[in-house]
Amino acid sequence: MSDSPRDSLRTVLDPKSVAIVGASENPNKLGGRPLLYLSRFGYKGSVYPINSKRANVQGYKAYPSLTDLPEAPEVAIVVVPGDAAVEAVEQCARLGVRVVIVMTSGFGETDAGAGKAKERHMREVARARGMRVIGPNCQGLANFGSGAILSFSTMYIEAPPQDGPVGIVSQSGAMSVVPYGLLRQRGIGVRHSHATGNDCDVTVAELASVVAEDPDLKLLLLYLEGISDTGHLAETARIARERDLPVIALKSGRTSAGQEAARSHTGALANEDRLVDTFLAKHGIWRARDTAELVGSVEMYLKGWKPKGRRLVAISNSGAVCVMAADAATAVGMPMAKIADQTRAELAKILPGFATTTNPIDITAALLTNSRLFSDILPVLAHDPAADAFLIGIPVAGQGYDVDAFARDSAEFARATGKPLVAAVPQASIAAKFREHGLPVFTTEAEAVAALNQFLSHRELMQSARERGAALARVPHPLTGGTLLNEADSLARMARAGVPVVGHRLCKSADEAAAALAELGAPVVVKGCSPEVVHKSELGLVRLGLDNEQAVRAAFRDMERTLRGQGARFDGAIVAKMASGRREMMIGARMDPVFGPVVLVGDGGKYVEAMPDVQVLLSPFNDSEVKAALARLRIAPLLTGVRGEPALDIDAFCAAVLAICRLMMNPESRVSNLDLNPVLVGAKGEGCVALDAVVYATVTSDG
């Protein structure tokens, strides 16, 4: 076939012909449900049921086998069990089918040995003929824009479809339709609802990258149980950024129990959770914590709002709601906008004297006697430049209140300003009025603020990724182990990479150690050097502040005796200059087989494992990303100076981190893992220096 893999996936979203291998007359069986949907939801292409026992199936002419069809179908659905499914895939490949959807279960999700082997076989057979496989263990795909409902989900009967601006792509069948059902309950149309199952060939990320091309989509929702295809997920994000299409991902398996469940469900390999967080954020994808967050803010995304900031104005007829809205906003980093004096003066002319014209604005129970208060103050606020978003809280209304006017005028205000507006309305009948006018409505002010914060934060994340031009570092070399170098060789590697390292000498004898003291000047540190010992201090292999020849010679002899007594190789002792600085920091790095070069930065010292304070960076990254990561540390306030202490030389530390980034991205370095701790950082202008280094690398003949 001459078609590209992406062309085939575009085809499966709108195929000209579909065959169902194992088609059933019963619409409530797996082989019958797709036929029901294709006829019910307006599919215009050719439908070919494969059933050797019937001449017709659900009104369609049936065929005994794939070889009896008048043409090679563009897409085939396979629902026959066991090895018959594998044989059907082989036959589809020979006939020239472009995409096969294997709904049959019982493969890698239940049998990591033989089941996975069958998946690999299907993939290899398909790729040899240019065919793509979706599944197995796959609920199917549904495109309500084209009528190609190639799925057996009951949800499309329970929640009748409506084409709309939302796409859902999921590894899980249930999670392709649960968000669909929740959105349909709210009257939101969904165009795409796809499940990829075990991802033996087409991954959820690859399919998402094609769905993201749909020009009518305004929001893309993803459910991921494992991330193995970072390339296509990054491509999805790139396409989305170019289209200004928000992508929200729910990645399960945050806990060890959840990760184990993911392995037993789809055979997905769980990824270290903070790497997932970092990867998604780097590419402008918002990570939802749960299903509620996945769909909770959808209405806001569909409004087309382009917020300029995150300053909030809250308006309510309840002082309590005003206070709780301010608390909720402050907790998520949404400052309460300072309303201009002129705006306050205009508000004072409208509101009663006992109302509050500062932000939040409490218009009090006077709303009951004057239902125009909302309508009158909103145009005034529309002209205030300080506000970026608005929250309207109405805890109680009903008889005596002109709720229709509140909702109508609030909606008009949102349209006129183009600024996000959410409503917190606990009464269902009152909330319905606001929803009728297309406003996002939540039960409480805390829920409204949380959803608004997600929307605003996601837009900021997208803008940051767009400005950075987020890129994915391909794994340059498949190193997962490597040999532990001794400290001298490790420091030498770091120095060649451009990282400042402490002045030191590797000494092979007590005489050389004494000479190093004379050369470096007292005081010095003496450390035993062996590639077989990582934590030297635990064996007493570190002596600090030595200032005379006798102490240095004795330390050398002790180091040799200790290492040889442990049965470890003795490469000598390192004599290093005692360095001074303001803060011990750390830089770590490793080669992740999925995400590529991973770099960690954070607080250093001997308690780094007991009380970790680190942030993750995925290569490639720049200086501003390093500084943003440092700003997220718990110790961040100390880096800029507190209580009269000077700011640290963060520029020098960032330069060292970037040197490590370049090292890890260079396949010639052959470094798989490293740890620099401590990296001593001085005051601004004093630089930084690595005092210790642990490096794992593949050692070549030239070292």
Side-chain angles (χ1 to χ4, degrees), residues 218 243-247 284 286 300-301 304-310 420 452-466:
K218 294 183 179 179
R243 294 196 46 234
D244 198 28
L245 172 70
V247 181
W286 182 266
M300 275 182 272
Y301 287 94
W305 288 326
K306 307 289 192 229
K308 303 297 184 183
R310 54 192 300 107
L452 184 58
N453 174 62
Q454 174 185 328
F455 172 71
L456 295 174
S457 299
H458 191 183
R459 298 299 310 189
E460 293 168 355
L461 196 67
M462 292 171 63
Q463 181 61 29
S464 176
R466 189 178 296 111

PDB file of all heavy atoms in Angstrom, residues 218 243-247 284 286 300-301 304-310 420 452-466:
ATOM      1  N   LYS A 218     -12.949  21.639  19.588  1.00  0.00           N
ATOM      2  CA  LYS A 218     -12.545  22.727  20.469  1.00  0.00           C
ATOM      3  C   LYS A 218     -11.904  22.217  21.752  1.00  0.00           C
ATOM      4  O   LYS A 218     -11.344  22.996  22.519  1.00  0.00           O
ATOM      5  CB  LYS A 218     -13.744  23.607  20.819  1.00  0.00           C
ATOM      6  CG  LYS A 218     -14.318  24.373  19.636  1.00  0.00           C
ATOM      7  CD  LYS A 218     -15.452  25.277  20.081  1.00  0.00           C
ATOM      8  CE  LYS A 218     -16.020  26.058  18.902  1.00  0.00           C
ATOM      9  NZ  LYS A 218     -17.157  26.936  19.319  1.00  0.00           N
ATOM     10  N   ARG A 243      -3.245  24.634  16.657  1.00  0.00           N
ATOM     11  CA  ARG A 243      -4.670  24.897  16.458  1.00  0.00           C
ATOM     12  C   ARG A 243      -5.303  25.597  17.652  1.00  0.00           C
ATOM     13  O   ARG A 243      -6.489  25.891  17.634  1.00  0.00           O
ATOM     14  CB  ARG A 243      -5.420  23.576  16.225  1.00  0.00           C
ATOM     15  CG  ARG A 243      -5.068  22.858  14.941  1.00  0.00           C
ATOM     16  CD  ARG A 243      -6.135  21.821  14.637  1.00  0.00           C
ATOM     17  NE  ARG A 243      -7.456  22.414  14.814  1.00  0.00           N
ATOM     18  CZ  ARG A 243      -8.422  21.914  15.596  1.00  0.00           C
ATOM     19  NH1 ARG A 243      -8.208  20.803  16.271  1.00  0.00           N
ATOM     20  NH2 ARG A 243      -9.581  22.515  15.692  1.00  0.00           N
ATOM     21  N   ASP A 244      -4.510  25.846  18.702  1.00  0.00           N
ATOM     22  CA  ASP A 244      -5.027  26.381  19.962  1.00  0.00           C
ATOM     23  C   ASP A 244      -6.127  25.471  20.501  1.00  0.00           C
ATOM     24  O   ASP A 244      -7.169  25.932  20.984  1.00  0.00           O
ATOM     25  CB  ASP A 244      -5.550  27.813  19.789  1.00  0.00           C
ATOM     26  CG  ASP A 244      -5.669  28.535  21.123  1.00  0.00           C
ATOM     27  OD1 ASP A 244      -4.918  28.201  22.049  1.00  0.00           O
ATOM     28  OD2 ASP A 244      -6.545  29.425  21.242  1.00  0.00           O
ATOM     29  N   LEU A 245      -5.878  24.178  20.420  1.00  0.00           N
ATOM     30  CA  LEU A 245      -6.828  23.162  20.883  1.00  0.00           C
ATOM     31  C   LEU A 245      -6.390  22.664  22.254  1.00  0.00           C
ATOM     32  O   LEU A 245      -5.352  22.024  22.383  1.00  0.00           O
ATOM     33  CB  LEU A 245      -6.859  21.991  19.896  1.00  0.00           C
ATOM     34  CG  LEU A 245      -7.660  20.753  20.314  1.00  0.00           C
ATOM     35  CD1 LEU A 245      -9.157  21.057  20.309  1.00  0.00           C
ATOM     36  CD2 LEU A 245      -7.354  19.568  19.386  1.00  0.00           C
ATOM     37  N   PRO A 246      -7.149  22.924  23.308  1.00  0.00           N
ATOM     38  CA  PRO A 246      -6.763  22.423  24.627  1.00  0.00           C
ATOM     39  C   PRO A 246      -6.868  20.903  24.691  1.00  0.00           C
ATOM     40  O   PRO A 246      -7.801  20.309  24.145  1.00  0.00           O
ATOM     41  CB  PRO A 246      -7.775  23.081  25.571  1.00  0.00           C
ATOM     42  CG  PRO A 246      -8.387  24.204  24.784  1.00  0.00           C
ATOM     43  CD  PRO A 246      -8.359  23.759  23.359  1.00  0.00           C
ATOM     44  N   VAL A 247      -5.916  20.294  25.370  1.00  0.00           N
ATOM     45  CA  VAL A 247      -5.907  18.845  25.583  1.00  0.00           C
ATOM     46  C   VAL A 247      -5.849  18.594  27.086  1.00  0.00           C
ATOM     47  O   VAL A 247      -4.961  19.109  27.771  1.00  0.00           O
ATOM     48  CB  VAL A 247      -4.708  18.166  24.893  1.00  0.00           C
ATOM     49  CG1 VAL A 247      -4.753  16.654  25.117  1.00  0.00           C
ATOM     50  CG2 VAL A 247      -4.688  18.490  23.409  1.00  0.00           C
ATOM     51  N   GLY A 284       2.082  21.307  27.384  1.00  0.00           N
ATOM     52  CA  GLY A 284       0.864  22.106  27.422  1.00  0.00           C
ATOM     53  C   GLY A 284      -0.409  21.304  27.615  1.00  0.00           C
ATOM     54  O   GLY A 284      -1.508  21.801  27.343  1.00  0.00           O
ATOM     55  N   TRP A 286      -3.047  19.565  30.137  1.00  0.00           N
ATOM     56  CA  TRP A 286      -3.466  19.613  31.535  1.00  0.00           C
ATOM     57  C   TRP A 286      -3.740  18.207  32.028  1.00  0.00           C
ATOM     58  O   TRP A 286      -4.444  17.440  31.379  1.00  0.00           O
ATOM     59  CB  TRP A 286      -4.714  20.471  31.692  1.00  0.00           C
ATOM     60  CG  TRP A 286      -5.144  20.594  33.122  1.00  0.00           C
ATOM     61  CD1 TRP A 286      -6.060  19.839  33.785  1.00  0.00           C
ATOM     62  CD2 TRP A 286      -4.643  21.537  34.077  1.00  0.00           C
ATOM     63  NE1 TRP A 286      -6.168  20.246  35.089  1.00  0.00           N
ATOM     64  CE2 TRP A 286      -5.308  21.281  35.305  1.00  0.00           C
ATOM     65  CE3 TRP A 286      -3.696  22.562  34.025  1.00  0.00           C
ATOM     66  CZ2 TRP A 286      -5.065  22.035  36.453  1.00  0.00           C
ATOM     67  CZ3 TRP A 286      -3.445  23.307  35.165  1.00  0.00           C
ATOM     68  CH2 TRP A 286      -4.128  23.044  36.351  1.00  0.00           C
ATOM     69  N   MET A 300     -16.320  25.933  29.891  1.00  0.00           N
ATOM     70  CA  MET A 300     -15.437  27.098  29.771  1.00  0.00           C
ATOM     71  C   MET A 300     -14.547  26.995  28.540  1.00  0.00           C
ATOM     72  O   MET A 300     -14.312  27.976  27.838  1.00  0.00           O
ATOM     73  CB  MET A 300     -14.595  27.234  31.034  1.00  0.00           C
ATOM     74  CG  MET A 300     -15.295  27.988  32.150  1.00  0.00           C
ATOM     75  SD  MET A 300     -14.249  28.188  33.592  1.00  0.00           S
ATOM     76  CE  MET A 300     -14.624  26.670  34.441  1.00  0.00           C
ATOM     77  N   TYR A 301     -14.049  25.787  28.283  1.00  0.00           N
ATOM     78  CA  TYR A 301     -13.180  25.597  27.118  1.00  0.00           C
ATOM     79  C   TYR A 301     -13.935  25.844  25.816  1.00  0.00           C
ATOM     80  O   TYR A 301     -13.345  26.264  24.814  1.00  0.00           O
ATOM     81  CB  TYR A 301     -12.618  24.181  27.113  1.00  0.00           C
ATOM     82  CG  TYR A 301     -11.549  23.920  28.149  1.00  0.00           C
ATOM     83  CD1 TYR A 301     -11.876  23.393  29.395  1.00  0.00           C
ATOM     84  CD2 TYR A 301     -10.220  24.192  27.888  1.00  0.00           C
ATOM     85  CE1 TYR A 301     -10.900  23.135  30.347  1.00  0.00           C
ATOM     86  CE2 TYR A 301      -9.237  23.943  28.824  1.00  0.00           C
ATOM     87  CZ  TYR A 301      -9.582  23.422  30.055  1.00  0.00           C
ATOM     88  OH  TYR A 301      -8.603  23.178  30.995  1.00  0.00           O
ATOM     89  N   GLY A 304     -14.510  29.730  23.983  1.00  0.00           N
ATOM     90  CA  GLY A 304     -13.568  30.492  23.160  1.00  0.00           C
ATOM     91  C   GLY A 304     -12.960  31.667  23.890  1.00  0.00           C
ATOM     92  O   GLY A 304     -12.377  32.557  23.271  1.00  0.00           O
ATOM     93  N   TRP A 305     -13.067  31.706  25.219  1.00  0.00           N
ATOM     94  CA  TRP A 305     -12.475  32.789  25.992  1.00  0.00           C
ATOM     95  C   TRP A 305     -10.960  32.768  25.888  1.00  0.00           C
ATOM     96  O   TRP A 305     -10.336  31.715  25.896  1.00  0.00           O
ATOM     97  CB  TRP A 305     -12.880  32.672  27.456  1.00  0.00           C
ATOM     98  CG  TRP A 305     -14.316  33.018  27.731  1.00  0.00           C
ATOM     99  CD1 TRP A 305     -15.066  33.953  27.094  1.00  0.00           C
ATOM    100  CD2 TRP A 305     -15.176  32.421  28.722  1.00  0.00           C
ATOM    101  NE1 TRP A 305     -16.336  33.994  27.629  1.00  0.00           N
ATOM    102  CE2 TRP A 305     -16.433  33.064  28.627  1.00  0.00           C
ATOM    103  CE3 TRP A 305     -15.001  31.417  29.673  1.00  0.00           C
ATOM    104  CZ2 TRP A 305     -17.499  32.733  29.453  1.00  0.00           C
ATOM    105  CZ3 TRP A 305     -16.058  31.089  30.499  1.00  0.00           C
ATOM    106  CH2 TRP A 305     -17.300  31.740  30.394  1.00  0.00           C
ATOM    107  N   LYS A 306     -10.345  33.937  25.811  1.00  0.00           N
ATOM    108  CA  LYS A 306      -8.888  34.092  25.759  1.00  0.00           C
ATOM    109  C   LYS A 306      -8.452  34.977  26.920  1.00  0.00           C
ATOM    110  O   LYS A 306      -8.210  36.170  26.762  1.00  0.00           O
ATOM    111  CB  LYS A 306      -8.446  34.723  24.430  1.00  0.00           C
ATOM    112  CG  LYS A 306      -8.961  34.025  23.190  1.00  0.00           C
ATOM    113  CD  LYS A 306      -8.281  32.697  22.999  1.00  0.00           C
ATOM    114  CE  LYS A 306      -8.599  32.175  21.616  1.00  0.00           C
ATOM    115  NZ  LYS A 306      -9.025  30.917  21.427  1.00  0.00           N
ATOM    116  N   PRO A 307      -8.381  34.435  28.105  1.00  0.00           N
ATOM    117  CA  PRO A 307      -8.070  35.250  29.283  1.00  0.00           C
ATOM    118  C   PRO A 307      -6.690  35.875  29.201  1.00  0.00           C
ATOM    119  O   PRO A 307      -5.755  35.292  28.661  1.00  0.00           O
ATOM    120  CB  PRO A 307      -8.167  34.247  30.437  1.00  0.00           C
ATOM    121  CG  PRO A 307      -7.963  32.911  29.805  1.00  0.00           C
ATOM    122  CD  PRO A 307      -8.542  33.011  28.430  1.00  0.00           C
ATOM    123  N   LYS A 308      -6.558  37.061  29.765  1.00  0.00           N
ATOM    124  CA  LYS A 308      -5.286  37.785  29.772  1.00  0.00           C
ATOM    125  C   LYS A 308      -4.532  37.607  31.083  1.00  0.00           C
ATOM    126  O   LYS A 308      -3.354  37.929  31.171  1.00  0.00           O
ATOM    127  CB  LYS A 308      -5.538  39.277  29.547  1.00  0.00           C
ATOM    128  CG  LYS A 308      -6.291  39.595  28.267  1.00  0.00           C
ATOM    129  CD  LYS A 308      -5.514  39.186  27.033  1.00  0.00           C
ATOM    130  CE  LYS A 308      -6.253  39.595  25.760  1.00  0.00           C
ATOM    131  NZ  LYS A 308      -5.550  39.132  24.542  1.00  0.00           N
ATOM    132  N   GLY A 309      -5.215  37.137  32.111  1.00  0.00           N
ATOM    133  CA  GLY A 309      -4.580  36.961  33.417  1.00  0.00           C
ATOM    134  C   GLY A 309      -5.488  36.135  34.304  1.00  0.00           C
ATOM    135  O   GLY A 309      -6.423  35.481  33.841  1.00  0.00           O
ATOM    136  N   ARG A 310      -5.240  36.184  35.626  1.00  0.00           N
ATOM    137  CA  ARG A 310      -6.002  35.360  36.561  1.00  0.00           C
ATOM    138  C   ARG A 310      -6.548  36.154  37.756  1.00  0.00           C
ATOM    139  O   ARG A 310      -6.859  35.585  38.801  1.00  0.00           O
ATOM    140  CB  ARG A 310      -5.159  34.179  37.025  1.00  0.00           C
ATOM    141  CG  ARG A 310      -3.834  34.529  37.608  1.00  0.00           C
ATOM    142  CD  ARG A 310      -2.936  33.296  37.777  1.00  0.00           C
ATOM    143  NE  ARG A 310      -3.498  32.279  38.643  1.00  0.00           N
ATOM    144  CZ  ARG A 310      -3.985  31.120  38.222  1.00  0.00           C
ATOM    145  NH1 ARG A 310      -3.998  30.825  36.933  1.00  0.00           N
ATOM    146  NH2 ARG A 310      -4.465  30.239  39.073  1.00  0.00           N
ATOM    147  N   PRO A 420     -13.783  35.276  31.136  1.00  0.00           N
ATOM    148  CA  PRO A 420     -14.436  34.122  31.766  1.00  0.00           C
ATOM    149  C   PRO A 420     -15.342  34.537  32.924  1.00  0.00           C
ATOM    150  O   PRO A 420     -14.973  35.381  33.748  1.00  0.00           O
ATOM    151  CB  PRO A 420     -13.262  33.282  32.267  1.00  0.00           C
ATOM    152  CG  PRO A 420     -12.104  33.697  31.424  1.00  0.00           C
ATOM    153  CD  PRO A 420     -12.308  35.141  31.123  1.00  0.00           C
ATOM    154  N   LEU A 452     -12.486  27.255  37.381  1.00  0.00           N
ATOM    155  CA  LEU A 452     -11.948  28.451  36.740  1.00  0.00           C
ATOM    156  C   LEU A 452     -10.430  28.447  36.790  1.00  0.00           C
ATOM    157  O   LEU A 452      -9.755  28.786  35.802  1.00  0.00           O
ATOM    158  CB  LEU A 452     -12.513  29.695  37.428  1.00  0.00           C
ATOM    159  CG  LEU A 452     -12.138  31.055  36.837  1.00  0.00           C
ATOM    160  CD1 LEU A 452     -12.568  31.155  35.377  1.00  0.00           C
ATOM    161  CD2 LEU A 452     -12.778  32.170  37.656  1.00  0.00           C
ATOM    162  N   ASN A 453      -9.888  28.035  37.917  1.00  0.00           N
ATOM    163  CA  ASN A 453      -8.434  27.966  38.043  1.00  0.00           C
ATOM    164  C   ASN A 453      -7.853  26.965  37.050  1.00  0.00           C
ATOM    165  O   ASN A 453      -6.805  27.217  36.449  1.00  0.00           O
ATOM    166  CB  ASN A 453      -8.045  27.564  39.462  1.00  0.00           C
ATOM    167  CG  ASN A 453      -6.556  27.348  39.605  1.00  0.00           C
ATOM    168  OD1 ASN A 453      -5.770  28.256  39.423  1.00  0.00           O
ATOM    169  ND2 ASN A 453      -6.161  26.125  39.927  1.00  0.00           N
ATOM    170  N   GLN A 454      -8.516  25.811  36.884  1.00  0.00           N
ATOM    171  CA  GLN A 454      -8.030  24.841  35.908  1.00  0.00           C
ATOM    172  C   GLN A 454      -7.992  25.461  34.518  1.00  0.00           C
ATOM    173  O   GLN A 454      -6.995  25.342  33.796  1.00  0.00           O
ATOM    174  CB  GLN A 454      -8.913  23.604  35.873  1.00  0.00           C
ATOM    175  CG  GLN A 454      -8.524  22.625  34.762  1.00  0.00           C
ATOM    176  CD  GLN A 454      -9.469  21.446  34.632  1.00  0.00           C
ATOM    177  OE1 GLN A 454     -10.047  20.994  35.614  1.00  0.00           O
ATOM    178  NE2 GLN A 454      -9.641  20.955  33.413  1.00  0.00           N
ATOM    179  N   PHE A 455      -9.072  26.116  34.139  1.00  0.00           N
ATOM    180  CA  PHE A 455      -9.145  26.707  32.803  1.00  0.00           C
ATOM    181  C   PHE A 455      -8.060  27.765  32.609  1.00  0.00           C
ATOM    182  O   PHE A 455      -7.336  27.751  31.605  1.00  0.00           O
ATOM    183  CB  PHE A 455     -10.527  27.323  32.603  1.00  0.00           C
ATOM    184  CG  PHE A 455     -10.659  28.123  31.334  1.00  0.00           C
ATOM    185  CD1 PHE A 455     -10.677  27.505  30.099  1.00  0.00           C
ATOM    186  CD2 PHE A 455     -10.755  29.506  31.378  1.00  0.00           C
ATOM    187  CE1 PHE A 455     -10.795  28.234  28.927  1.00  0.00           C
ATOM    188  CE2 PHE A 455     -10.871  30.248  30.216  1.00  0.00           C
ATOM    189  CZ  PHE A 455     -10.892  29.615  28.987  1.00  0.00           C
ATOM    190  N   LEU A 456      -7.914  28.665  33.584  1.00  0.00           N
ATOM    191  CA  LEU A 456      -6.923  29.736  33.452  1.00  0.00           C
ATOM    192  C   LEU A 456      -5.508  29.170  33.487  1.00  0.00           C
ATOM    193  O   LEU A 456      -4.652  29.580  32.690  1.00  0.00           O
ATOM    194  CB  LEU A 456      -7.111  30.747  34.584  1.00  0.00           C
ATOM    195  CG  LEU A 456      -8.434  31.519  34.579  1.00  0.00           C
ATOM    196  CD1 LEU A 456      -8.544  32.378  35.836  1.00  0.00           C
ATOM    197  CD2 LEU A 456      -8.574  32.375  33.338  1.00  0.00           C
ATOM    198  N   SER A 457      -5.262  28.224  34.392  1.00  0.00           N
ATOM    199  CA  SER A 457      -3.923  27.639  34.496  1.00  0.00           C
ATOM    200  C   SER A 457      -3.565  26.861  33.238  1.00  0.00           C
ATOM    201  O   SER A 457      -2.410  26.875  32.794  1.00  0.00           O
ATOM    202  CB  SER A 457      -3.841  26.721  35.723  1.00  0.00           C
ATOM    203  OG  SER A 457      -4.078  27.441  36.910  1.00  0.00           O
ATOM    204  N   HIS A 458      -4.547  26.177  32.667  1.00  0.00           N
ATOM    205  CA  HIS A 458      -4.292  25.424  31.441  1.00  0.00           C
ATOM    206  C   HIS A 458      -3.955  26.364  30.291  1.00  0.00           C
ATOM    207  O   HIS A 458      -3.045  26.093  29.494  1.00  0.00           O
ATOM    208  CB  HIS A 458      -5.510  24.572  31.088  1.00  0.00           C
ATOM    209  CG  HIS A 458      -5.250  23.571  30.013  1.00  0.00           C
ATOM    210  ND1 HIS A 458      -6.219  22.742  29.504  1.00  0.00           N
ATOM    211  CD2 HIS A 458      -4.119  23.258  29.318  1.00  0.00           C
ATOM    212  CE1 HIS A 458      -5.709  21.979  28.571  1.00  0.00           C
ATOM    213  NE2 HIS A 458      -4.428  22.272  28.430  1.00  0.00           N
ATOM    214  N   ARG A 459      -4.668  27.474  30.183  1.00  0.00           N
ATOM    215  CA  ARG A 459      -4.346  28.438  29.125  1.00  0.00           C
ATOM    216  C   ARG A 459      -2.919  28.971  29.306  1.00  0.00           C
ATOM    217  O   ARG A 459      -2.180  29.143  28.328  1.00  0.00           O
ATOM    218  CB  ARG A 459      -5.342  29.591  29.137  1.00  0.00           C
ATOM    219  CG  ARG A 459      -6.787  29.227  28.866  1.00  0.00           C
ATOM    220  CD  ARG A 459      -7.055  28.601  27.512  1.00  0.00           C
ATOM    221  NE  ARG A 459      -6.496  29.316  26.393  1.00  0.00           N
ATOM    222  CZ  ARG A 459      -6.767  29.032  25.112  1.00  0.00           C
ATOM    223  NH1 ARG A 459      -7.592  28.040  24.824  1.00  0.00           N
ATOM    224  NH2 ARG A 459      -6.216  29.704  24.133  1.00  0.00           N
ATOM    225  N   GLU A 460      -2.524  29.210  30.555  1.00  0.00           N
ATOM    226  CA  GLU A 460      -1.156  29.663  30.815  1.00  0.00           C
ATOM    227  C   GLU A 460      -0.151  28.582  30.430  1.00  0.00           C
ATOM    228  O   GLU A 460       0.911  28.875  29.861  1.00  0.00           O
ATOM    229  CB  GLU A 460      -1.004  30.018  32.294  1.00  0.00           C
ATOM    230  CG  GLU A 460      -1.810  31.238  32.727  1.00  0.00           C
ATOM    231  CD  GLU A 460      -1.861  31.392  34.238  1.00  0.00           C
ATOM    232  OE1 GLU A 460      -1.345  30.494  34.950  1.00  0.00           O
ATOM    233  OE2 GLU A 460      -2.426  32.391  34.708  1.00  0.00           O
ATOM    234  N   LEU A 461      -0.485  27.334  30.746  1.00  0.00           N
ATOM    235  CA  LEU A 461       0.383  26.210  30.406  1.00  0.00           C
ATOM    236  C   LEU A 461       0.546  26.092  28.892  1.00  0.00           C
ATOM    237  O   LEU A 461       1.652  25.877  28.379  1.00  0.00           O
ATOM    238  CB  LEU A 461      -0.221  24.931  30.980  1.00  0.00           C
ATOM    239  CG  LEU A 461       0.658  23.690  31.089  1.00  0.00           C
ATOM    240  CD1 LEU A 461       1.756  23.909  32.123  1.00  0.00           C
ATOM    241  CD2 LEU A 461      -0.199  22.486  31.488  1.00  0.00           C
ATOM    242  N   MET A 462      -0.551  26.233  28.172  1.00  0.00           N
ATOM    243  CA  MET A 462      -0.501  26.164  26.715  1.00  0.00           C
ATOM    244  C   MET A 462       0.345  27.290  26.141  1.00  0.00           C
ATOM    245  O   MET A 462       1.143  27.079  25.213  1.00  0.00           O
ATOM    246  CB  MET A 462      -1.914  26.217  26.141  1.00  0.00           C
ATOM    247  CG  MET A 462      -2.770  24.995  26.440  1.00  0.00           C
ATOM    248  SD  MET A 462      -4.504  25.222  25.970  1.00  0.00           S
ATOM    249  CE  MET A 462      -4.338  25.421  24.172  1.00  0.00           C
ATOM    250  N   GLN A 463       0.184  28.493  26.688  1.00  0.00           N
ATOM    251  CA  GLN A 463       0.953  29.622  26.196  1.00  0.00           C
ATOM    252  C   GLN A 463       2.437  29.434  26.471  1.00  0.00           C
ATOM    253  O   GLN A 463       3.286  29.728  25.612  1.00  0.00           O
ATOM    254  CB  GLN A 463       0.463  30.916  26.853  1.00  0.00           C
ATOM    255  CG  GLN A 463       1.183  32.175  26.406  1.00  0.00           C
ATOM    256  CD  GLN A 463       1.037  32.441  24.916  1.00  0.00           C
ATOM    257  OE1 GLN A 463       0.036  32.049  24.309  1.00  0.00           O
ATOM    258  NE2 GLN A 463       2.016  33.107  24.320  1.00  0.00           N
ATOM    259  N   SER A 464       2.754  28.920  27.642  1.00  0.00           N
ATOM    260  CA  SER A 464       4.153  28.675  27.978  1.00  0.00           C
ATOM    261  C   SER A 464       4.765  27.648  27.033  1.00  0.00           C
ATOM    262  O   SER A 464       5.886  27.824  26.538  1.00  0.00           O
ATOM    263  CB  SER A 464       4.245  28.186  29.425  1.00  0.00           C
ATOM    264  OG  SER A 464       5.571  27.848  29.755  1.00  0.00           O
ATOM    265  N   ALA A 465       4.031  26.579  26.751  1.00  0.00           N
ATOM    266  CA  ALA A 465       4.531  25.555  25.828  1.00  0.00           C
ATOM    267  C   ALA A 465       4.678  26.117  24.421  1.00  0.00           C
ATOM    268  O   ALA A 465       5.625  25.774  23.697  1.00  0.00           O
ATOM    269  CB  ALA A 465       3.586  24.353  25.820  1.00  0.00           C
ATOM    270  N   ARG A 466       3.751  26.963  24.044  1.00  0.00           N
ATOM    271  CA  ARG A 466       3.809  27.574  22.707  1.00  0.00           C
ATOM    272  C   ARG A 466       5.045  28.471  22.584  1.00  0.00           C
ATOM    273  O   ARG A 466       5.761  28.450  21.574  1.00  0.00           O
ATOM    274  CB  ARG A 466       2.536  28.363  22.456  1.00  0.00           C
ATOM    275  CG  ARG A 466       2.383  28.871  21.021  1.00  0.00           C
ATOM    276  CD  ARG A 466       1.066  29.602  20.839  1.00  0.00           C
ATOM    277  NE  ARG A 466      -0.079  28.728  21.030  1.00  0.00           N
ATOM    278  CZ  ARG A 466      -0.930  28.800  22.044  1.00  0.00           C
ATOM    279  NH1 ARG A 466      -0.766  29.711  22.992  1.00  0.00           N
ATOM    280  NH2 ARG A 466      -1.942  27.974  22.132  1.00  0.00           N
TER     281      ARG A 466
END
